[in-house]
Structures are given as structure tokens and as C-alpha cells.
Amino acid sequence: MNESPRVVVADDQALVRTGFRMILKADGIDVVAEAVNGAEAVDAVRRTRPDVVLMDIRMPEMDGLEATRRILDGAAPGGAEQPRVVMLTTFDLDHYVYAALSAGASGFLLKDVTPEHLVAAVHTVRTGDALLAPTITRRLVERFARRDADTVTLHRDLAALTPRELEVLRMLAGGLSNAELAARLRLSEATVKTHVSRILAKLALRDRAQAVVVAYETGLISPSARNSPPGNGDSSAKSG
């Protein structure tokens, strides 16, 4: 995957679109289309088949959440032609971001992102990873993941995971990177990547962002545990 990423920028503010296009093009990233609302974004994705979509949450006619659903609906996880969607939001996070992660978005960026971070974000999600700002993502999921112990239906079968994979998933929900996971578990990064890949495959997830959502929605990790070091209480699995 050596070719430059192909990107669609969807935002109803011309300044945002222009700024992002200039930043990305300066780094050799091709902006193949721009859109001012969700409907245009869906059409642009179908026409241009980009690798990454930078999608504003709030736009006229069709918001970014509905556009994300339409773009990703029915696509097989990890499909070759499936774009990665990154939501654009302001500092004041809202529930649409959580819903977008549940729908399959690969993460989110604040609109005042630095040029370096924007470029890095596009490359990160293009390679199949998720764009997670650990503290913000965790707070967001904790705030909006609603569970009722008597009525919740687990939409993922966590029983398919090994004890080690459950431990890794708990740590993922804490926002740890592969390098941090490797250090914490005393494993190589290659082994950690294998565990993560198996978790995503077994649970039919697109990426780490959805893994975080599932960890909270299934009760594997809870908001009350957010101040506990990741992995505490499950240190029995010693093998890789």
C-alpha cells in the first residue's frame, strides 16, 4: 500500500474544506472530491471510491452520521473497497460521535487539528487502524453507551475470545496503543497485532474504534473501572 491515500472532504464550511485540502495536498495526499452535505458525500464516495472520508458531523440536508451509515451499510468488514470514515467535530463532543463509531467510523478529529496530526490521521486510518484519542474516546463512550443489565442483548459473542484476547480487548478499551500493549503484556508488537487482528475477526469488527464501543456495550469494561490500570484483575493469562 504505497500509493498516496485518496480522500473525500465533507464539510459545509468552505474554509474547513479549503484548509484541509491545502494541508493534504502539500503532503502529496490526493483530495479526489469535496462535499457540502451528507448527500453529496455519499455520492462523492460512490463516484470516486476514496480510501478515507473526512466527514463533518453537522451538515445541512443530511448530517454526517446518516451519510456514514449509508456509506458503510452493508459493506463487509475490512472490505477492499470500503473507505475509512473519520468524523470531524468541535471541542464540545456530542452523542453523534458515539453513534458514528457504532456505525463503523474509524475515529474522529477536532476541527482545529494541527496539519501534522491531520496528515498522520489520514495515513493511520488508511492502513486499517483506528484514530483514537484515548482519554476523549473513553469519556465519550462512557457517557453515551447505555446498558441495562436486565435487557441488554449482547450483539457480539465474547465467549469466542480466549482469556488473553479478552485481556487485550480490555486494554484496547483503555486506549492503549500496540506498543503500550506490548510493554504491558511483555509481548512483541507483532504478537499484539496478531491478538488484535483475531479479536476483530472473531467479533466481525472493522477496527479498534468499534472494539472500544463493544467493550463498553457488552459490559466487559465499565465507566466505574476507568481509573483502574488496564489489565488489572486479569493477569492470569501468561502465554502469547
Side-chain angles (χ1 to χ4, degrees), residues 20-34:
F20 279 18
R21 183 180 68 247
M22 292 175 64
I23 291 169
L24 295 175
K25 286 193 172 183
D27 199 72
I29 296 174
D30 189 13
V31 177
V32 296
E34 296 180 24

Side-chain angles (χ1 to χ4, degrees), residues 168 172 177-183 185-199 208 240:
V168 171
L172 281 181
S177 66
N178 284 345
E180 291 167 331
L181 282 168
L185 295 170
R186 295 186 175 87
L187 299 172
S188 68
E189 283 195 51
T191 299
V192 167
K193 288 179 180 178
T194 297
H195 283 311
V196 173
S197 295
R198 287 175 178 169
I199 290 168
R208 299 163 75 105

Side-chain angles (χ1 to χ4, degrees), residues 5 17 59 83 90 99 143 148 150 180 187 196 208-209 220 238:
R17 297 196 310 275
M59 294 183 289
T90 60
R143 181 178 177 186
D148 184 323
D150 296 323
E180 291 167 331
L187 299 172
V196 173
R208 299 163 75 105
L220 179 65
K238 298 296 184 184

Side-chain angles (χ1 to χ4, degrees), residues 33-200:
E34 296 180 24
V36 300
N37 58 54
E40 286 191 10
V42 173
D43 179 66
V45 168
R46 289 172 178 169
R47 286 187 294 102
T48 64
R49 299 177 182 267
D51 300 300
V52 178
V53 183
L54 299 177
M55 179 83 74
D56 187 17
I57 292 176
R58 297 180 178 179
M59 294 183 289
E61 297 185 39
M62 181 190 296
D63 65 18
L65 176 57
E66 178 61 24
T68 296
R69 285 175 176 153
R70 295 193 184 191
I71 289 170
L72 299 179
D73 185 39
E81 296 184 358
Q82 181 186 34
R84 299 284 172 167
V85 178
V86 176
M87 305 306 295
L88 303 175
T89 184
T90 60
F91 182 74
D92 185 21
L93 298 173
D94 59 46
H95 69 281
Y96 288 119
V97 183
Y98 169 74
L101 292 176
S102 298
S106 295
F108 58 92
L109 284 173
L110 300 181
K111 286 193 179 182
D112 61 356
V113 62
T114 64
E116 294 79 12
H117 193 182
L118 176 63
V119 170
V122 168
H123 286 293
T124 295
V125 298
R126 195 273 184 105
T127 59
D129 209 341
L131 188 65
L132 298 175
T135 302
I136 299 175
T137 302
R138 185 166 61 246
R139 185 176 68 217
L140 180 74
V141 175
E142 288 170 0
R143 181 178 177 186
F144 294 108
R146 303 302 186 201
R147 297 193 310 274
D148 184 323
D150 296 323
T151 61
V152 66
T153 299
L154 301 187
H155 61 293
R156 300 288 190 271
D157 184 8
L158 297 187
L161 302 183
T162 67
R164 173 64 95 187
E165 288 165 352
L166 284 171
E167 185 178 26
V168 171
L169 180 55
R170 286 193 185 96
M171 292 185 179
L172 281 181
L176 296 186
S177 66
N178 284 345
E180 291 167 331
L181 282 168
R184 189 70 61 91
L185 295 170
R186 295 186 175 87
L187 299 172
S188 68
E189 283 195 51
T191 299
V192 167
K193 288 179 180 178
T194 297
H195 283 311
V196 173
S197 295
R198 287 175 178 169
I199 290 168
L200 299 183

